[in-house]
Amino acid sequence: MTLSKFDYYGPKTVAEAVGLLGEIGEGAKVMAGGTDVLVRIRHRMLKPRAVVGLKRIEGLNGISCGPKRGLSVGATALLADVAAHRGIRRLYPGIAEAALGTANVQVRNMATLAGNLCNASPAADNAPTLLALNAELTIQGPGGERKRPLEGFFKGPGVTDLAPEEVVTAIFVPPPAERSGTAYLHLSARGKHDCTAVGVGVMLAMAGRKCRDARIFISACGPTPLRAPQAEQMLIGQVPTDKRMAEAGVRASGEALPICDIRASADYRCRVLGVLTRRALQAARDRAAKKG
Amino acid sequence: MKHEITLHVNGDEYPIAVDPWRTLNEVLREDLNLTGTKFGCGSGDCGACTVLVEGRSVNSCLTLAVEMDGREITTVEGLAPSGERLHPIQEAFVERGAIQCGFCTPGMELSALHLLEKNPKPTEAEIRSAISGNLCRCTGYNKIVEAVADAAGRMKPKK
Ligand SMILES: Cc1cc2nc3c(=O)[nH]c(=O)nc-3n(C[C@H](O)[C@H](O)[C@H](O)COP(=O)(O)OP(=O)(O)OC[C@H]3O[C@@H](n4cnc5c(N)ncnc54)[C@H](O)[C@@H]3O)c2cc1C
Ligand code: FES
Ligand code: FES
């Protein structure tokens, strides 16, 4: 089946893109890699009047990463480049793991990190770790630029806090906290290559032998990525033993809101979530310890 | 409105006018008659449509032709441009019996090229991961994995 007909615009600047979205109005669709947009058009789930492609905007695909300045990923940076970036792999291994765990080689060579977030799938593989690391979005609209935390950005399946004429220009992640570690683990019906049925991203920061801060975010177990605050509270101020982490995993699965669908049953999701959360916490703890 | 673009495919230039909703896959197959690139699912799952853009493998079914203006594209036809001697990857696929119906082959070979250009000595796990976006309904993959490993040995390191 061919794609339905639409006009195409390839603006050269973000301001031009925002202007076009305003002028075209209803029926305009922003596109980065197109791996969600074009699939939805082909399947007749979306019929835009015009597509506004972001990939010609110069300088929007940059990645900058350092222990003091944190991480900044431009809106058209590819998942493949995020996954392979040395600085990201060293300072934010959870972010690189999640990017590498998304889709397949070809899709990662087209798809963007920002597109994964803006698509707002409850199963988006890159959301949990970025949420756990307190990521922030830079957004450009007709009124200028605004910044907002990624937490609270997702409003429902496919729905975000973005206004129709707004464009995300970058994702910022603060410098990693001292003695902290992150990890992302996910499972799907078929190995690692199918859409995620359960995912969990965690950040753990240590002080002495005790856990100083913990953030746990779950994907594909509710209408948006979900936080597990009760499980976090079970860890903060405690020595994170394997036993405590297993208990926190069980609590996290109690905080999820899974449904039964073609990828997994709700019951399966709950059980697996407990185990994945424990394993992700252990991995994050071990990484934090290595940083000494 | 049609867009005037120039595609660079396998070293040749094609100035053409394309409708904005047409994919690179359609333009390669229907306008340029380069039918080596296949069309399977249309949704990024099968990899039969894989081509290289500036050396990186992408799904041509999920790429708008209009966005390829001025970009260097390699299709399976570009692997053996003279038509006389096969590319080492193709030789290995033939000799190792990695081709049955052949529908996945062009995509598999380009995924293999994408891998071997970056990583001339891949492990079996790296090969399997590199072709994870390419489905084959015939071979069971083992012969393909063997062929890619064999091709790695046949490809001379670039000087
Ligand atoms: C075969 C296949 C496998 C996949 N597997 C996975 C997987 O394992 N895990 C996973 O999470 N996803 C998966 N996906 C989904 C998809 O690849 C990702 O969500 C990808 O990151 C989307 O990025 P994109 O640049 O292609 O987005 P696009 O398709 O260009 O856009 C996605 C959405 O975001 C909006 N958008 C994009 N950029 C911006 C911006 N800068 N500002 C405002 N809005 C914007 C678009 O309007 C659209 O609504 C898969 C897709 C395919 C085809
Ligand atoms: S036809 Fe493009 S991935 Fe299947
Ligand atoms: S040889 Fe038939 S699909 Fe691979």
Side-chain angles (χ1 to χ4, degrees), chain A residues 52 87 98 100 102 109 117 145 171 183 196 205 208 248 259:
Chain A
V52 177
L100 188 65
T102 307
N109 277 338
L117 299 178
E145 190 178 278
I171 300 148
T196 289
I259 54 165

Side-chain angles (χ1 to χ4, degrees), chain B residues 25 38-50 59-62 133:
Chain B
N25 188 270
K38 302 303 175 209
F39 180 80
C41 64
S43 52
D45 294 303
C46 75
C49 66
T50 303
N59 298 125
S60 61
C61 71
L62 294 182

Side-chain angles (χ1 to χ4, degrees), chain B residues 70-149:
Chain B
R71 316 287 299 275
E72 294 292 339
I73 296 156
T74 307
T75 69
V76 69
E77 288 89 347
L79 288 184
S82 74
E84 281 160 23
R85 181 129 203 257
L86 292 178
H87 186 279
I89 292 175
Q90 294 173 308
E91 279 177 3
F93 268 64
V94 172
E95 286 172 29
R96 291 278 175 163
I99 304 172
Q100 289 189 25
C101 80
F103 199 79
C104 69
T105 309
M108 283 288 181
E109 292 182 346
L110 289 164
S111 285
L113 181 60
H114 176 59
L115 168 72
L116 297 177
E117 296 262 312
K118 282 186 306 182
N119 179 357
K121 283 198 185 135
T123 61
E124 182 185 332
E126 286 168 338
I127 295 173
R128 288 191 183 270
S129 150
I131 59 168
S132 63
N134 296 80
L135 300 185
C136 175
R137 302 305 305 265
C138 304
T139 65
Y141 300 101
N142 286 341
K143 301 261 179 205
I144 294 176
V145 173
E146 285 167 26
V148 177

Side-chain angles (χ1 to χ4, degrees), chain A residues 158-182:
Chain A
V159 187
T160 67
D161 164 61
L162 285 179
E165 66 277 24
E166 282 185 320
V167 172
V168 170
T169 55
I171 300 148
F172 172 74
V173 185
E178 260 179 54
R179 300 200 54 214
S180 67
T182 59

